[in-house]
Tab-separated table of all heavy atoms in Angstrom:
chain	number	residue	atom	x	y	z
A	30	HIS	N	-17.560	-10.650	2.052
A	30	HIS	CA	-17.764	-12.082	1.902
A	30	HIS	C	-19.091	-12.552	2.481
A	30	HIS	O	-19.622	-13.581	2.083
A	30	HIS	CB	-16.599	-12.847	2.541
A	30	HIS	CG	-15.277	-12.342	2.051
A	30	HIS	ND1	-14.893	-12.450	0.736
A	30	HIS	CD2	-14.269	-11.687	2.687
A	30	HIS	CE1	-13.695	-11.899	0.593
A	30	HIS	NE2	-13.297	-11.427	1.755
A	194	GLU	N	-6.778	-0.639	-2.521
A	194	GLU	CA	-7.044	-1.723	-1.558
A	194	GLU	C	-7.181	-1.192	-0.133
A	194	GLU	O	-8.052	-1.602	0.626
A	194	GLU	CB	-5.881	-2.716	-1.641
A	194	GLU	CG	-5.967	-3.893	-0.718
A	194	GLU	CD	-4.724	-4.769	-0.838
A	194	GLU	OE1	-3.599	-4.226	-0.959
A	194	GLU	OE2	-4.866	-6.001	-0.820
A	196	ARG	N	-4.642	-0.936	2.631
A	196	ARG	CA	-4.066	-1.652	3.753
A	196	ARG	C	-3.898	-0.712	4.928
A	196	ARG	O	-3.719	0.488	4.724
A	196	ARG	CB	-2.693	-2.235	3.333
A	196	ARG	CG	-2.815	-3.381	2.349
A	196	ARG	CD	-3.238	-4.681	2.990
A	196	ARG	NE	-2.212	-5.182	3.901
A	196	ARG	CZ	-2.455	-5.788	5.049
A	196	ARG	NH1	-3.688	-5.986	5.465
A	196	ARG	NH2	-1.467	-6.235	5.796
A	202	ALA	N	-10.758	-2.557	-0.916
A	202	ALA	CA	-11.026	-3.844	-1.561
A	202	ALA	C	-12.301	-4.465	-1.004
A	202	ALA	O	-13.083	-5.073	-1.739
A	202	ALA	CB	-9.845	-4.784	-1.370
A	216	HIS	N	-15.340	-0.741	-11.875
A	216	HIS	CA	-14.251	-0.406	-10.977
A	216	HIS	C	-13.171	-1.477	-11.064
A	216	HIS	O	-13.429	-2.593	-11.513
A	216	HIS	CB	-14.752	-0.289	-9.531
A	216	HIS	CG	-15.298	-1.572	-8.991
A	216	HIS	ND1	-16.573	-2.014	-9.297
A	216	HIS	CD2	-14.761	-2.534	-8.200
A	216	HIS	CE1	-16.788	-3.164	-8.708
A	216	HIS	NE2	-15.702	-3.521	-8.039
A	218	VAL	N	-9.884	-2.928	-8.571
A	218	VAL	CA	-9.154	-2.875	-7.300
A	218	VAL	C	-7.656	-2.944	-7.591
A	218	VAL	O	-7.205	-3.782	-8.378
A	218	VAL	CB	-9.559	-4.042	-6.379
A	218	VAL	CG1	-8.729	-4.025	-5.090
A	218	VAL	CG2	-11.053	-3.970	-6.056
A	221	ASP	N	-2.415	-0.307	-3.085
A	221	ASP	CA	-2.187	1.094	-2.736
A	221	ASP	C	-0.954	1.658	-3.427
A	221	ASP	O	-0.857	2.851	-3.680
A	221	ASP	CB	-2.014	1.207	-1.216
A	221	ASP	CG	-3.254	0.742	-0.479
A	221	ASP	OD1	-4.343	1.259	-0.769
A	221	ASP	OD2	-3.132	-0.156	0.368
A	222	ASN	N	-0.027	0.781	-3.740
A	222	ASN	CA	1.218	1.184	-4.403
A	222	ASN	C	1.026	1.652	-5.844
A	222	ASN	O	1.925	2.260	-6.414
A	222	ASN	CB	2.201	0.003	-4.419
A	222	ASN	CG	2.840	-0.222	-3.065
A	222	ASN	OD1	3.164	0.738	-2.371
A	222	ASN	ND2	3.026	-1.481	-2.685
A	229	ARG	N	0.896	8.641	-13.589
A	229	ARG	CA	1.962	8.942	-14.561
A	229	ARG	C	1.570	8.465	-15.956
A	229	ARG	O	1.961	9.051	-16.960
A	229	ARG	CB	3.286	8.273	-14.153
A	229	ARG	CG	3.916	8.897	-12.926
A	229	ARG	CD	5.402	8.526	-12.807
A	229	ARG	NE	6.208	9.361	-13.657
A	229	ARG	CZ	7.144	8.930	-14.499
A	229	ARG	NH1	7.395	7.646	-14.591
A	229	ARG	NH2	7.822	9.764	-15.239
A	256	TYR	N	-2.147	10.943	1.815
A	256	TYR	CA	-1.096	11.932	1.519
A	256	TYR	C	-0.249	11.522	0.315
A	256	TYR	O	0.084	12.340	-0.548
A	256	TYR	CB	-0.239	12.096	2.782
A	256	TYR	CG	1.069	12.825	2.636
A	256	TYR	CD1	1.144	14.081	2.065
A	256	TYR	CD2	2.263	12.234	3.091
A	256	TYR	CE1	2.352	14.765	1.954
A	256	TYR	CE2	3.476	12.897	3.003
A	256	TYR	CZ	3.516	14.161	2.430
A	256	TYR	OH	4.716	14.815	2.318
A	264	ASP	N	1.908	15.939	-8.497
A	264	ASP	CA	3.067	15.784	-9.400
A	264	ASP	C	2.631	15.566	-10.847
A	264	ASP	O	3.417	15.774	-11.755
A	264	ASP	CB	3.922	14.611	-8.920
A	264	ASP	CG	5.344	14.648	-9.469
A	264	ASP	OD1	5.960	15.747	-9.459
A	264	ASP	OD2	5.846	13.606	-9.921
A	265	ASN	N	1.409	15.129	-11.025
A	265	ASN	CA	0.941	14.796	-12.376
A	265	ASN	C	-0.192	15.693	-12.864
A	265	ASN	O	-0.812	15.399	-13.891
A	265	ASN	CB	0.487	13.329	-12.419
A	265	ASN	CG	1.672	12.381	-12.285
A	265	ASN	OD1	2.407	12.162	-13.241
A	265	ASN	ND2	1.871	11.844	-11.084
A	286	ASP	N	-1.787	19.395	11.401
A	286	ASP	CA	-0.717	18.705	12.127
A	286	ASP	C	-1.074	18.441	13.579
A	286	ASP	O	-0.448	17.603	14.231
A	286	ASP	CB	0.577	19.509	12.023
A	286	ASP	CG	1.153	19.437	10.623
A	286	ASP	OD1	0.849	18.455	9.902
A	286	ASP	OD2	1.869	20.356	10.223
A	298	GLN	N	-2.065	-5.181	11.010
A	298	GLN	CA	-1.025	-5.245	9.970
A	298	GLN	C	-0.477	-6.662	9.836
A	298	GLN	O	-0.094	-7.106	8.758
A	298	GLN	CB	0.098	-4.261	10.311
A	298	GLN	CG	1.276	-4.263	9.354
A	298	GLN	CD	0.882	-3.898	7.948
A	298	GLN	OE1	0.181	-2.935	7.708
A	298	GLN	NE2	1.316	-4.701	6.973
A	303	GLY	N	-9.774	-12.454	5.106
A	303	GLY	CA	-10.380	-12.649	3.786
A	303	GLY	C	-11.188	-13.920	3.783
A	303	GLY	O	-11.516	-14.467	4.842
A	304	ARG	N	-11.486	-14.386	2.581
A	304	ARG	CA	-12.274	-15.608	2.430
A	304	ARG	C	-11.318	-16.739	2.061
A	304	ARG	O	-10.566	-16.639	1.096
A	304	ARG	CB	-13.320	-15.426	1.334
A	304	ARG	CG	-14.404	-16.503	1.315
A	304	ARG	CD	-15.263	-16.415	0.055
A	304	ARG	NE	-14.477	-16.798	-1.120
A	304	ARG	CZ	-14.268	-16.036	-2.178
A	304	ARG	NH1	-14.770	-14.818	-2.232
A	304	ARG	NH2	-13.544	-16.463	-3.204
A	306	GLU	N	-10.035	-20.595	0.922
A	306	GLU	CA	-10.373	-21.406	-0.263
A	306	GLU	C	-11.626	-22.245	-0.009
A	306	GLU	O	-12.300	-22.645	-0.953
A	306	GLU	CB	-9.204	-22.321	-0.614
A	306	GLU	CG	-7.907	-21.562	-0.802
A	306	GLU	CD	-7.266	-21.844	-2.139
A	306	GLU	OE1	-7.983	-22.137	-3.109
A	306	GLU	OE2	-6.036	-21.759	-2.198
A	312	ARG	N	-8.151	-15.658	8.524
A	312	ARG	CA	-7.040	-14.714	8.445
A	312	ARG	C	-5.737	-15.468	8.265
A	312	ARG	O	-5.617	-16.631	8.688
A	312	ARG	CB	-6.990	-13.820	9.681
A	312	ARG	CG	-6.740	-14.548	10.978
A	312	ARG	CD	-6.656	-13.606	12.181
A	312	ARG	NE	-6.118	-14.307	13.340
A	312	ARG	CZ	-5.717	-13.706	14.462
A	312	ARG	NH1	-5.826	-12.392	14.594
A	312	ARG	NH2	-5.224	-14.411	15.458
A	313	VAL	N	-4.786	-14.798	7.625
A	313	VAL	CA	-3.440	-15.362	7.466
A	313	VAL	C	-2.432	-14.329	7.953
A	313	VAL	O	-2.621	-13.124	7.779
A	313	VAL	CB	-3.142	-15.752	6.003
A	313	VAL	CG1	-4.017	-16.924	5.565
A	313	VAL	CG2	-3.296	-14.579	5.042
A	314	ALA	N	-1.352	-14.808	8.565
A	314	ALA	CA	-0.282	-13.926	9.035
A	314	ALA	C	0.651	-13.628	7.866
A	314	ALA	O	1.016	-14.538	7.118
A	314	ALA	CB	0.490	-14.583	10.174
A	315	VAL	N	1.024	-12.350	7.699
A	315	VAL	CA	1.894	-11.975	6.590
A	315	VAL	C	3.220	-11.391	7.065
A	315	VAL	O	4.025	-10.945	6.247
A	315	VAL	CB	1.184	-10.975	5.638
A	315	VAL	CG1	-0.017	-11.635	4.973
A	315	VAL	CG2	0.771	-9.706	6.360
A	317	PRO	N	6.643	-12.028	9.685
A	317	PRO	CA	7.319	-13.067	10.468
A	317	PRO	C	7.103	-12.874	11.962
A	317	PRO	O	7.034	-11.746	12.444
A	317	PRO	CB	8.806	-12.885	10.137
A	317	PRO	CG	8.874	-11.981	8.963
A	317	PRO	CD	7.608	-11.187	8.934
A	320	SER	N	8.955	-9.996	14.235
A	320	SER	CA	9.094	-8.669	13.618
A	320	SER	C	8.096	-7.715	14.266
A	320	SER	O	6.930	-8.074	14.474
A	320	SER	CB	8.823	-8.726	12.112
A	320	SER	OG	9.873	-9.384	11.439
A	321	ALA	N	8.557	-6.497	14.547
A	321	ALA	CA	7.644	-5.479	15.058
A	321	ALA	C	6.779	-4.963	13.922
A	321	ALA	O	7.148	-5.056	12.752
A	321	ALA	CB	8.436	-4.329	15.684
A	322	VAL	N	5.603	-4.439	14.266
A	322	VAL	CA	4.732	-3.830	13.270
A	322	VAL	C	4.283	-2.465	13.770
A	322	VAL	O	4.216	-2.221	14.981
A	322	VAL	CB	3.481	-4.693	12.966
A	322	VAL	CG1	3.861	-5.980	12.262
A	322	VAL	CG2	2.706	-4.996	14.243
A	323	GLY	N	3.985	-1.569	12.833
A	323	GLY	CA	3.440	-0.259	13.149
A	323	GLY	C	2.116	-0.087	12.438
A	323	GLY	O	1.941	-0.627	11.341
A	329	VAL	N	-2.064	13.121	7.399
A	329	VAL	CA	-2.551	14.471	7.120
A	329	VAL	C	-2.023	14.912	5.763
A	329	VAL	O	-0.828	14.854	5.497
A	329	VAL	CB	-2.100	15.465	8.214
A	329	VAL	CG1	-2.493	16.894	7.844
A	329	VAL	CG2	-2.707	15.072	9.564
A	333	ARG	N	-2.194	22.474	0.623
A	333	ARG	CA	-1.585	22.855	-0.655
A	333	ARG	C	-1.705	21.766	-1.710
A	333	ARG	O	-1.547	22.031	-2.910
A	333	ARG	CB	-0.113	23.229	-0.448
A	333	ARG	CG	0.766	22.077	0.035
A	333	ARG	CD	2.222	22.495	0.302
A	333	ARG	NE	2.836	21.632	1.306
A	333	ARG	CZ	3.406	20.451	1.057
A	333	ARG	NH1	3.461	19.990	-0.181
A	333	ARG	NH2	3.922	19.730	2.044
B	30	HIS	N	7.408	-18.199	6.329
B	30	HIS	CA	6.764	-19.195	7.194
B	30	HIS	C	7.449	-20.553	7.146
B	30	HIS	O	7.341	-21.334	8.078
B	30	HIS	CB	5.294	-19.310	6.809
B	30	HIS	CG	4.605	-17.979	6.741
B	30	HIS	ND1	4.449	-17.184	7.859
B	30	HIS	CD2	4.093	-17.262	5.702
B	30	HIS	CE1	3.840	-16.058	7.499
B	30	HIS	NE2	3.609	-16.073	6.216
B	194	GLU	N	5.453	-3.171	3.614
B	194	GLU	CA	4.871	-4.492	3.368
B	194	GLU	C	5.041	-4.916	1.886
B	194	GLU	O	5.373	-6.052	1.592
B	194	GLU	CB	3.377	-4.424	3.709
B	194	GLU	CG	2.601	-5.692	3.485
B	194	GLU	CD	1.119	-5.467	3.787
B	194	GLU	OE1	0.579	-4.398	3.436
B	194	GLU	OE2	0.507	-6.382	4.364
B	196	ARG	N	2.699	-4.564	-1.042
B	196	ARG	CA	1.630	-5.253	-1.757
B	196	ARG	C	1.853	-5.120	-3.260
B	196	ARG	O	2.439	-4.142	-3.698
B	196	ARG	CB	0.277	-4.623	-1.348
B	196	ARG	CG	-0.119	-4.974	0.073
B	196	ARG	CD	-0.675	-6.378	0.194
B	196	ARG	NE	-1.937	-6.545	-0.510
B	196	ARG	CZ	-2.284	-7.671	-1.166
B	196	ARG	NH1	-1.470	-8.707	-1.226
B	196	ARG	NH2	-3.434	-7.732	-1.766
B	202	ALA	N	7.221	-7.489	3.839
B	202	ALA	CA	6.803	-8.186	5.062
B	202	ALA	C	7.355	-9.603	5.098
B	202	ALA	O	7.741	-10.108	6.158
B	202	ALA	CB	5.277	-8.215	5.145
B	216	HIS	N	13.780	-3.722	13.162
B	216	HIS	CA	12.941	-3.289	12.043
B	216	HIS	C	11.485	-3.322	12.444
B	216	HIS	O	11.108	-3.986	13.411
B	216	HIS	CB	13.170	-4.199	10.829
B	216	HIS	CG	12.773	-5.628	11.070
B	216	HIS	ND1	13.580	-6.509	11.773
B	216	HIS	CD2	11.649	-6.313	10.772
B	216	HIS	CE1	12.962	-7.677	11.856
B	216	HIS	NE2	11.788	-7.596	11.254
B	218	VAL	N	7.613	-3.567	10.444
B	218	VAL	CA	6.845	-3.702	9.208
B	218	VAL	C	5.669	-2.731	9.243
B	218	VAL	O	4.955	-2.659	10.246
B	218	VAL	CB	6.324	-5.142	9.036
B	218	VAL	CG1	5.467	-5.263	7.771
B	218	VAL	CG2	7.502	-6.128	8.989
B	221	ASP	N	2.251	-0.117	3.196
B	221	ASP	CA	2.834	0.755	2.174
B	221	ASP	C	2.304	2.180	2.293
B	221	ASP	O	2.961	3.134	1.905
B	221	ASP	CB	2.519	0.197	0.787
B	221	ASP	CG	3.098	-1.188	0.594
B	221	ASP	OD1	4.327	-1.336	0.771
B	221	ASP	OD2	2.342	-2.116	0.298
B	222	ASN	N	1.104	2.309	2.832
B	222	ASN	CA	0.471	3.611	2.996
B	222	ASN	C	1.137	4.491	4.043
B	222	ASN	O	0.871	5.690	4.092
B	222	ASN	CB	-1.001	3.411	3.410
B	222	ASN	CG	-1.866	2.979	2.246
B	222	ASN	OD1	-1.682	3.457	1.126
B	222	ASN	ND2	-2.805	2.081	2.500
B	229	ARG	N	6.617	12.715	7.383
B	229	ARG	CA	6.116	14.002	7.890
B	229	ARG	C	6.389	14.124	9.381
B	229	ARG	O	6.593	15.226	9.905
B	229	ARG	CB	4.607	14.142	7.637
B	229	ARG	CG	4.259	14.314	6.164
B	229	ARG	CD	2.852	14.877	6.005
B	229	ARG	NE	2.846	16.313	6.180
B	229	ARG	CZ	1.977	16.984	6.944
B	229	ARG	NH1	1.050	16.346	7.603
B	229	ARG	NH2	2.062	18.280	7.037
B	256	TYR	N	7.775	5.057	-6.471
B	256	TYR	CA	7.559	6.453	-6.876
B	256	TYR	C	6.847	7.255	-5.772
B	256	TYR	O	7.217	8.406	-5.488
B	256	TYR	CB	6.759	6.446	-8.176
B	256	TYR	CG	6.166	7.754	-8.617
B	256	TYR	CD1	6.946	8.904	-8.766
B	256	TYR	CD2	4.800	7.850	-8.933
B	256	TYR	CE1	6.391	10.104	-9.201
B	256	TYR	CE2	4.241	9.033	-9.369
B	256	TYR	CZ	5.030	10.150	-9.496
B	256	TYR	OH	4.467	11.327	-9.923
B	264	ASP	N	9.194	15.657	-0.693
B	264	ASP	CA	8.341	16.641	-0.042
B	264	ASP	C	8.796	16.939	1.386
B	264	ASP	O	8.435	17.979	1.934
B	264	ASP	CB	6.890	16.137	-0.030
B	264	ASP	CG	5.865	17.254	0.189
B	264	ASP	OD1	6.011	18.323	-0.444
B	264	ASP	OD2	4.934	17.069	0.990
B	265	ASN	N	9.556	16.025	1.966
B	265	ASN	CA	9.966	16.176	3.360
B	265	ASN	C	11.471	16.339	3.537
B	265	ASN	O	11.970	16.279	4.663
B	265	ASN	CB	9.461	14.973	4.174
B	265	ASN	CG	7.951	14.979	4.317
B	265	ASN	OD1	7.400	15.725	5.111
B	265	ASN	ND2	7.274	14.169	3.518
B	286	ASP	N	10.790	6.167	-18.843
B	286	ASP	CA	9.420	5.990	-19.305
B	286	ASP	C	9.302	4.927	-20.387
B	286	ASP	O	8.202	4.428	-20.645
B	286	ASP	CB	8.858	7.319	-19.818
B	286	ASP	CG	8.603	8.288	-18.668
B	286	ASP	OD1	8.370	7.816	-17.547
B	286	ASP	OD2	8.646	9.510	-18.901
B	298	GLN	N	-3.243	-9.899	-6.636
B	298	GLN	CA	-3.925	-8.831	-5.888
B	298	GLN	C	-5.168	-9.373	-5.187
B	298	GLN	O	-5.530	-8.928	-4.106
B	298	GLN	CB	-4.299	-7.702	-6.859
B	298	GLN	CG	-5.078	-6.561	-6.245
B	298	GLN	CD	-4.324	-5.876	-5.134
B	298	GLN	OE1	-3.154	-5.552	-5.254
B	298	GLN	NE2	-4.970	-5.691	-3.991
B	303	GLY	N	-0.339	-16.311	3.236
B	303	GLY	CA	0.253	-16.154	4.556
B	303	GLY	C	0.161	-17.455	5.316
B	303	GLY	O	-0.055	-18.517	4.727
B	304	ARG	N	0.330	-17.355	6.627
B	304	ARG	CA	0.262	-18.540	7.478
B	304	ARG	C	-1.095	-18.550	8.171
B	304	ARG	O	-1.464	-17.583	8.835
B	304	ARG	CB	1.377	-18.502	8.512
B	304	ARG	CG	1.625	-19.847	9.230
B	304	ARG	CD	2.570	-19.675	10.403
B	304	ARG	NE	1.945	-18.917	11.458
B	304	ARG	CZ	2.395	-17.778	11.961
B	304	ARG	NH1	3.506	-17.244	11.514
B	304	ARG	NH2	1.751	-17.139	12.928
B	306	GLU	N	-4.161	-19.811	10.786
B	306	GLU	CA	-4.150	-19.956	12.248
B	306	GLU	C	-3.679	-21.344	12.654
B	306	GLU	O	-3.211	-21.553	13.767
B	306	GLU	CB	-5.550	-19.715	12.813
B	306	GLU	CG	-6.122	-18.376	12.385
B	306	GLU	CD	-6.560	-17.532	13.559
B	306	GLU	OE1	-5.977	-17.678	14.650
B	306	GLU	OE2	-7.473	-16.724	13.378
B	312	ARG	N	-4.061	-19.123	1.550
B	312	ARG	CA	-4.395	-17.823	0.988
B	312	ARG	C	-5.840	-17.473	1.286
B	312	ARG	O	-6.681	-18.361	1.459
B	312	ARG	CB	-4.125	-17.795	-0.526
B	312	ARG	CG	-4.981	-18.753	-1.320
B	312	ARG	CD	-4.690	-18.647	-2.824
B	312	ARG	NE	-5.713	-19.361	-3.585
B	312	ARG	CZ	-5.878	-19.282	-4.909
B	312	ARG	NH1	-5.060	-18.538	-5.634
B	312	ARG	NH2	-6.849	-19.935	-5.507
B	314	ALA	N	-8.982	-14.630	-0.051
B	314	ALA	CA	-9.398	-13.642	-1.049
B	314	ALA	C	-9.772	-12.354	-0.340
B	314	ALA	O	-10.468	-12.378	0.668
B	314	ALA	CB	-10.592	-14.167	-1.845
B	315	VAL	N	-9.299	-11.225	-0.872
B	315	VAL	CA	-9.585	-9.940	-0.230
B	315	VAL	C	-10.381	-9.006	-1.154
B	315	VAL	O	-10.615	-7.852	-0.805
B	315	VAL	CB	-8.287	-9.232	0.224
B	315	VAL	CG1	-7.604	-10.044	1.313
B	315	VAL	CG2	-7.338	-8.977	-0.933
B	317	PRO	N	-13.932	-8.680	-3.680
B	317	PRO	CA	-15.205	-9.349	-3.961
B	317	PRO	C	-15.171	-10.073	-5.308
B	317	PRO	O	-14.531	-9.591	-6.245
B	317	PRO	CB	-16.227	-8.205	-4.013
B	317	PRO	CG	-15.556	-7.012	-3.450
B	317	PRO	CD	-14.083	-7.216	-3.577
B	320	SER	N	-15.349	-8.187	-8.953
B	320	SER	CA	-14.587	-6.945	-9.092
B	320	SER	C	-13.348	-7.207	-9.940
B	320	SER	O	-12.669	-8.212	-9.763
B	320	SER	CB	-14.148	-6.412	-7.723
B	320	SER	OG	-15.252	-5.924	-6.995
B	321	ALA	N	-13.052	-6.278	-10.851
B	321	ALA	CA	-11.816	-6.374	-11.629
B	321	ALA	C	-10.632	-5.994	-10.750
B	321	ALA	O	-10.783	-5.287	-9.755
B	321	ALA	CB	-11.893	-5.448	-12.833
B	322	VAL	N	-9.452	-6.504	-11.100
B	322	VAL	CA	-8.232	-6.130	-10.382
B	322	VAL	C	-7.153	-5.744	-11.398
B	322	VAL	O	-7.168	-6.211	-12.528
B	322	VAL	CB	-7.697	-7.290	-9.498
B	322	VAL	CG1	-8.646	-7.579	-8.354
B	322	VAL	CG2	-7.474	-8.533	-10.339
B	323	GLY	N	-6.255	-4.874	-10.970
B	323	GLY	CA	-5.100	-4.495	-11.786
B	323	GLY	C	-3.846	-4.815	-11.022
B	323	GLY	O	-3.832	-4.750	-9.791
B	329	VAL	N	8.028	3.825	-12.339
B	329	VAL	CA	9.250	4.556	-12.676
B	329	VAL	C	9.320	5.801	-11.807
B	329	VAL	O	8.372	6.597	-11.763
B	329	VAL	CB	9.275	4.943	-14.160
B	329	VAL	CG1	10.482	5.828	-14.461
B	329	VAL	CG2	9.303	3.692	-15.031
B	333	ARG	N	14.735	13.134	-10.998
B	333	ARG	CA	14.688	14.367	-10.181
B	333	ARG	C	14.331	14.091	-8.730
B	333	ARG	O	14.580	14.918	-7.850
B	333	ARG	CB	13.690	15.364	-10.782
B	333	ARG	CG	12.251	14.888	-10.787
B	333	ARG	CD	11.290	15.878	-11.475
B	333	ARG	NE	10.137	15.189	-12.046
B	333	ARG	CZ	9.022	14.873	-11.368
B	333	ARG	NH1	8.903	15.201	-10.089
B	333	ARG	NH2	8.033	14.236	-11.962
Side-chain angles (χ1 to χ4, degrees):
Chain A
H30 309 296
E194 179 183 40
R196 289 284 294 143
H216 63 280
V218 177
D221 299 306
N222 284 321
R229 290 198 81 228
Y256 167 53
D264 199 44
N265 290 283
D286 289 335
Q298 177 61 47
R304 194 190 69 238
E306 305 234 29
R312 63 178 193 168
V313 293
V315 295
S320 289
V322 292
V329 174
R333 64 183 153 85
Chain B
H30 310 296
E194 179 183 39
R196 289 282 294 143
H216 63 281
V218 177
D221 299 304
N222 284 321
R229 290 198 82 227
Y256 167 54
D264 199 45
N265 291 283
D286 289 334
Q298 177 60 47
R304 194 190 69 239
E306 306 234 29
R312 63 178 192 169
V315 295
S320 289
V322 293
V329 174
R333 64 184 152 85

